[in-house]
Amino acid sequence: MSTAADYLHPLLSVKPKIAVVLGSGLGAFADSLDNAQTIPYHDIPGWPQSTAIGHAGKLVGGTVEGIPVAALAGRAHLYEGYTAQQAVYGIRALHELGVESVILTNAAGGVNRDYKPGDLVLISDHINLLGQNPLSGPNDGSLGPRFPDMSEAYNKLFRATAKAVGAEMGLNLVEGVYAAVPGPSYETPAEIRYLRTIGADLVGMSTVPETIAANHMGMKVLGISCVTNHAAGVIDQKLNHTEVLEVGERMKSTLIGLLRDLCRTL
Ligand code: HPA
């Protein structure tokens, strides 16, 4: 076992089946778990610390109506100076603990002109523009194959289930392609036009390393983007992180409701 899994295994009173990774400003779900056990990242051996504003930096184990869940409030990004390998440390540790499915959430800019701040979009596929891959280097065959398939990186059945669960809550969950960029500067309008041309609907600075590592290990992934802003140049307005966090805060109860229903259903 990795040192993190070794540390967490005796500590967690639940054996999580589902992990939920919470993006910028979207951490509130972690505090909604029943029988919650909070473990700060700085207590877990080897775990990258969250330095980004809006990321609490804690693992919360608990249940949602009896379903054992681990929530990660805060993740490691490449713009913090972490490598793609470090960014997937947590997801690999959770896999060792028995997690089979992961819900990855993020805050994203809307590249698709139909999206508006506050929309929740199911990620159908991604474009990796990070310039890094967490699987670079020698392959650990105990985790997965050298050349893992990525043709359904975001599980189709999970997306269909999420649409049905969302519809029951009155949400119209559409699907979109997420482009991951390294950041931390936001994109220029020209870069957003480029992303739209190559087929992206959403842009953000996370999620893709975790999706790659999860697929490598045979885990099923559901990706949910919270559109926090129109991407650069879509409207005549400058971008800032405060706005991103504010929209995340505004979406708090909707997202908690959706994530709780998904934990029960997936
Ligand atoms: N670009 C990149 N990442 C983001 C954005 C954006 O517009 N909004 C939230 N995360």
Side-chain angles (χ1 to χ4, degrees):
M1 272 202 192
S2 68
T3 46
D6 265 340
Y7 174 81
L8 291 169
H9 182 68
L11 209 60
L12 285 176
S13 47
V14 295
K15 184 174 167 9
K17 277 272 150 260
I18 298 184
V20 184
V21 180
L22 300 159
S24 296
L26 307 176
F29 168 78
D31 303 318
S32 82
L33 293 185
D34 310 314
N35 310 304
Q37 250 186 312
T38 299
I39 304 167
Y41 289 166
H42 58 73
D43 286 354
I44 312 174
W47 202 286
Q49 304 305 304
S50 286
T51 69
I53 296 168
H55 287 255
K58 61 184 183 184
L59 182 155
V60 182
T63 55
V64 174
E65 288 174 40
I67 309 287
V69 175
L72 299 186
R75 53 154 64 94
H77 303 84
L78 272 53
Y79 64 72
E80 295 170 86
Y82 291 118
T83 62
Q85 280 82 5
Q86 286 172 306
V88 303
Y89 185 84
I91 217 76
R92 285 182 169 157
L94 289 169
H95 178 253
E96 281 188 271
L97 294 173
V99 170
E100 292 163 1
S101 304
V102 54
I103 304 176
L104 301 173
T105 70
N106 60 48
V111 174
N112 187 319
R113 295 178 196 278
D114 293 338
Y115 297 171
K116 52 187 192 312
D119 284 351
L120 295 174
V121 178
L122 302 172
I123 302 176
S124 58
D125 203 347
H126 73 220
I127 301 172
N128 182 10
L129 299 173
L130 294 171
Q132 280 194 47
N133 189 303
L135 309 182
S136 295
N139 184 51
D140 180 347
S142 70
L143 296 182
R146 171 76 290 187
F147 300 110
D149 175 62
M150 290 289 288
S151 52
E152 195 189 310
Y154 300 86
N155 188 271
K156 220 172 177 168
L157 200 59
F158 276 11
R159 277 182 270 148
T161 305
K163 274 185 203 166
V165 166
E168 274 173 34
M169 294 174 58
L171 294 172
N172 176 27
L173 295 177
V174 295
E175 295 192 7
V177 173
Y178 177 91
V181 294
S185 50
Y186 286 118
E187 302 68 42
T188 62
E191 286 165 344
I192 294 301
R193 287 195 298 276
Y194 160 73
L195 292 178
R196 195 176 293 121
T197 304
I198 64 170
D201 298 297
L202 301 152
V203 60
M205 305 173 190
S206 69
T207 305
V208 161
E210 291 124 303
T211 298
I212 293 171
N215 275 271
H216 182 230
M217 298 182 289
M219 296 166 89
K220 290 185 195 150
V221 177
L222 178 71
I224 305 174
S225 284
C226 175
V227 177
T228 52
N229 55 280
H230 293 287
V234 173
I235 57 168
D236 188 17
Q237 193 183 305
K238 294 200 173 187
L239 272 55
N240 69 78
H241 191 56
T242 309
E243 176 194 16
V244 169
L245 297 183
E246 276 169 7
V247 174
E249 178 65 25
R250 182 148 65 72
M251 294 308 292
K252 194 159 103 177
S253 64
T254 306
L255 194 63
I256 290 175
L258 177 65
L259 291 171
R260 286 184 67 90
D261 284 353
L262 286 169
C263 286
R264 284 194 291 112
T265 321
L266 286 182

